[in-house]
């Protein structure tokens, strides 16, 4: 009788509160759907944020923007059925107000492909405020995009921003115009020299939705040779670009993200050249849960600034080979702690460059020997061998030299990408 009464009471309670049970189920389903949706987002493009500063060529980061629209173009390395954008105010001194933002397929220069414009929202609002030191992610906008397709992101900044979080060496043209031009087809944006720059502003990533949830993203981590100095503006000819193309051609398409910063060092911070590699590795290379492989090409600036006196921007003291190896080991440990495979890349030759001295050349030889033979990296990409002059291995091959004897040109970057064993990529 007591069991029957208990069952009856339990039935009565459930029957009396069907709305509560239904609401609980709906909340559970919504949570599950949200989690599933989150798993389906894949980073298709990224840029490492930097402090506003002079950089290698004029840019707008120190002056910022006021009542202006900024338009930027980037090529993604993964496709999907929807797009969302990540904005960073990591180095801003005040909250960043974005009054309107759009994404579209890129046409020529600042032009948009007809019919592809989509307005972006943030929590269903067309405006957003990015807090000091913070990041925001837009809602997804339905737009079918393909791997290796170029997108245009346009944002209207109605108030005075102050100095802007940027990626200084973007090697892609950024445009600006007065007023809200987020839906403009392109005619409002000046394209003549002196009215454009080749830096990124506030954009830290583009994600796409759709496809299987795989841990196969590749991140290229390093300095200006990863960033693409010498490849040319608006060419998408950096070595990570060429690696993405090679993977796609081999039938293994996957996201390849560029986490290079021009002038960056493993061991030292710099106002011009970004947070040191050990400090930014988790944020810029490992934070995305889809990352399966990181290619590390790093240490040339630690060596160069140690050996050559460049008083206008020399940011670090002398760095020994032992310190550099310890830095590489620390990067390897960080990657392995996240279950990420890490490929070590040998430093390029640089005879004839301002960094070159007998001591710097010896450090490069010894560090490359350690990368090749220590067995501490999971695999090795021998970039040095791929671009060295066979007649003088201390020097870049002439056909691969951008002109400064340190940075490759587009052909050199393609040779570097060809030196990566695709079988070693997770």
């Amino acid at each position: 009788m007591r069991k029957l009464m208990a069952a009856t009471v339990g039935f009565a309670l459930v029957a009396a509160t069907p709305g509560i049970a239904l609401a609980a189920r709906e909340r559970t389903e919504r949570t599950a759907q949200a989690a599933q949706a989150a798993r389906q987002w894949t980073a298709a493009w990224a840029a490492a944020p930097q402090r506003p500063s002079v950089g290698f060529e004029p840019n707008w980061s120190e002056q910022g923007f006021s009542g202006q629209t900024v338009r930027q173009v980037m090529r993604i390395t993964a496709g999907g059925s929807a797009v969302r954008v990540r904005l960073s105010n990591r180095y801003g001194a005040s909250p960043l107000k974005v009054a309107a933002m759009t994404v579209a397929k890129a046409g020529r220069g600042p032009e948009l492909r007809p019919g592809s414009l989509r307005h972006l929202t943030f929590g269903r609002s067309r405006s957003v405020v990015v807090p000091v030191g913070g990041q925001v992610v837009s809602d997804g906008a339905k737009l079918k995009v393909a791997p290796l397709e170029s997108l245009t992101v346009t944002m209207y900044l109605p108030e005075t921003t102050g100095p802007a979080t940027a990626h200084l060496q973007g090697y892609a043209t950024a445009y600006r115009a007065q007023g809200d031009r987020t839906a403009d087809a392109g005619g409002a944006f000046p394209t003549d020299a002196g009215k454009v720059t080749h830096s990124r502003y506030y954009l830290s990533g583009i994600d796409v939705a759709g496809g299987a949830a795989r841990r196969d993203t590749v991140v290229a981590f390093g300095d200006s040779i990863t960033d693409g100095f010498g490849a040319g503006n608006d060419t998408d000819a950096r070595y990570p670009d060429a690696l993405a193309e090679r993977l796609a051609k081999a039938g293994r398409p996957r996201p390849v993200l560029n986490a290079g910063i021009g002038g960056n060092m493993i061991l030292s911070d710099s106002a011009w050249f970004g947070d040191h590699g050990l400090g930014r590795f988790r944020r810029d290379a490992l934070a995305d849960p889809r990352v399966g492989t990181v290619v590390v090409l790093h240490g040339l600036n630690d060596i160069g600034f140690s050996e050559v006196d460049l008083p206008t921007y020399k940011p670090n003291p002398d760095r020994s080979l032992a310190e550099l190896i310890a830095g590489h080991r620390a990067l390897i440990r960080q990657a392995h702690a996240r279950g990420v495979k890490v490929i070590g890349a040998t430093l390029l030759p640089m005879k004839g460059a301002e960094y070159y001295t007998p001591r710097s050349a010896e450090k490069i030889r010894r560090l490359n020997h350690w990368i090749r033979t220590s067995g501490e990296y999971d695999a090795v990409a021998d970039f040095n061998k791929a671009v060295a002059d066979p007649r003088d291995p201390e020097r870049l091959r002439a056909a691969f030299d951008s002109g400064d004897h340190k940075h490759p040109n587009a052909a050199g970057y393609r040779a570097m990408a060809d030196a990566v064993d695709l079988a070693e990529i997770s």
Side-chain angles (χ1 to χ4, degrees):
M1 177 63 73
R2 282 195 294 270
K3 289 182 180 180
L4 179 59
M5 289 176 64
T8 302
V9 171
F11 174 78
L13 286 172
V14 172
T17 57
I20 295 174
L22 180 60
R25 279 201 305 274
E26 288 177 346
R27 283 196 299 271
T28 301
E29 289 170 2
R30 283 198 299 271
T31 301
Q33 289 168 358
Q36 177 65 19
R39 285 194 295 271
Q40 290 176 346
W41 286 104
T42 299
W45 175 88
Q50 291 177 255
R51 293 176 180 85
S53 67
V54 175
F56 295 140
E57 63 175 281
N59 66 76
W60 301 320
S61 67
E62 291 185 313
Q63 69 187 80
F65 307 93
S66 184
Q68 294 170 313
T69 295
V70 185
R71 176 161 289 179
Q72 302 173 73
V73 182
M74 59 290 302
R75 189 175 75 163
I76 59 175
T77 55
S81 58
V83 176
R84 70 181 187 183
V85 172
R86 285 177 274 138
L87 298 177
S88 174
N89 193 26
R90 181 176 183 85
Y91 300 108
S94 60
L96 172 69
K97 182 175 181 179
V98 181
M101 194 165 181
T102 59
V103 63
K105 296 186 179 186
R108 198 166 83 176
E111 297 173 1
L112 309 180
R113 290 258 299 274
S116 67
L117 181 74
R118 303 290 187 272
H119 288 274
L120 291 170
T121 59
F122 299 82
R124 299 186 180 181
S125 171
R126 286 197 178 183
S127 66
V128 69
V129 175
V130 189
V132 173
Q135 176 177 277
V136 299
V137 183
S138 76
D139 304 326
K142 289 184 179 180
L143 181 65
K144 190 173 182 180
V145 294
L148 307 180
E149 187 167 24
S150 291
L151 300 180
T152 296
V153 175
T154 311
M155 67 182 77
Y156 174 46
L157 307 170
E159 300 175 356
T160 300
T161 64
T165 297
H167 182 83
L168 300 175
Q169 282 73 58
Y171 307 116
T173 305
Y175 310 87
R176 68 178 176 180
Q178 291 301 129
D180 183 356
R181 302 292 184 174
T182 51
D184 188 279
F189 294 90
T191 59
D192 43 322
K195 296 185 179 179
V196 299
T197 75
H198 299 110
S199 299
R200 308 289 190 185
Y201 304 97
Y202 300 116
L203 291 178
S204 60
I206 296 177
D207 304 333
V208 297
R214 293 190 295 262
R215 192 174 183 183
D216 64 354
T217 295
V218 181
V219 175
F221 186 78
D223 52 36
S224 58
I225 297 176
T226 298
D227 217 5
F229 186 101
N233 295 319
D234 302 315
T235 62
D236 296 313
R238 314 161 189 87
Y239 103 75
D241 298 314
L243 180 58
E245 293 169 6
R246 187 170 169 232
L247 284 161
K249 188 175 181 179
R252 299 181 58 196
R254 65 194 58 214
V256 179
L257 308 180
N258 191 325
I261 292 181
N264 200 229
M265 289 156 283
I266 295 179
L267 302 173
S268 299
D269 290 329
S270 167
W272 279 29
F273 306 134
D275 299 343
H276 66 283
L278 286 179
R280 72 181 186 89
F281 192 53
R282 285 190 180 90
R283 180 192 76 206
D284 293 343
L286 303 177
D288 188 331
R290 298 289 188 86
V291 174
T293 305
V294 176
V295 182
V296 172
L297 172 61
H298 223 326
L300 183 63
N301 293 308
D302 298 77
I303 292 172
F305 286 130
S306 292
E307 301 303 324
V308 178
D309 186 18
L310 300 172
T312 56
Y313 56 88
K314 182 176 178 177
N316 65 298
D318 183 28
R319 293 300 187 185
S320 68
L321 179 69
E323 288 178 293
L324 287 169
I325 290 174
H328 277 266
R329 283 174 169 151
L331 295 177
I332 293 168
R333 286 195 299 272
Q334 288 185 41
H336 287 171
R338 297 289 183 96
V340 172
K341 185 173 188 176
V342 58
I343 298 174
T346 53
L347 302 188
L348 275 55
M350 61 171 183
K351 189 174 183 179
E354 80 281 11
Y355 279 178
Y356 186 84
T357 67
R359 273 180 30 113
S360 66
E362 178 64 15
K363 282 185 179 180
I364 289 175
R365 283 193 295 270
R366 292 174 65 191
L367 181 60
N368 282 347
H369 178 76
W370 177 83
I371 291 169
R372 290 180 179 122
T373 64
S374 69
E376 297 197 37
Y377 276 106
D378 298 310
V380 173
D382 202 340
F383 289 165
N384 180 285
K385 183 178 179 181
V387 300
D389 186 335
R391 295 168 298 181
D392 185 358
E394 297 292 322
R395 186 183 297 274
L396 276 173
R397 190 179 303 187
F400 294 156
D401 191 343
S402 68
D404 67 0
H405 311 303
K406 182 171 63 176
H407 295 93
N409 56 20
Y413 284 123
R414 187 161 296 279
M416 290 168 60
D418 289 344
V420 178
D421 184 352
L422 300 189
E424 296 292 354
I425 292 178
S426 297

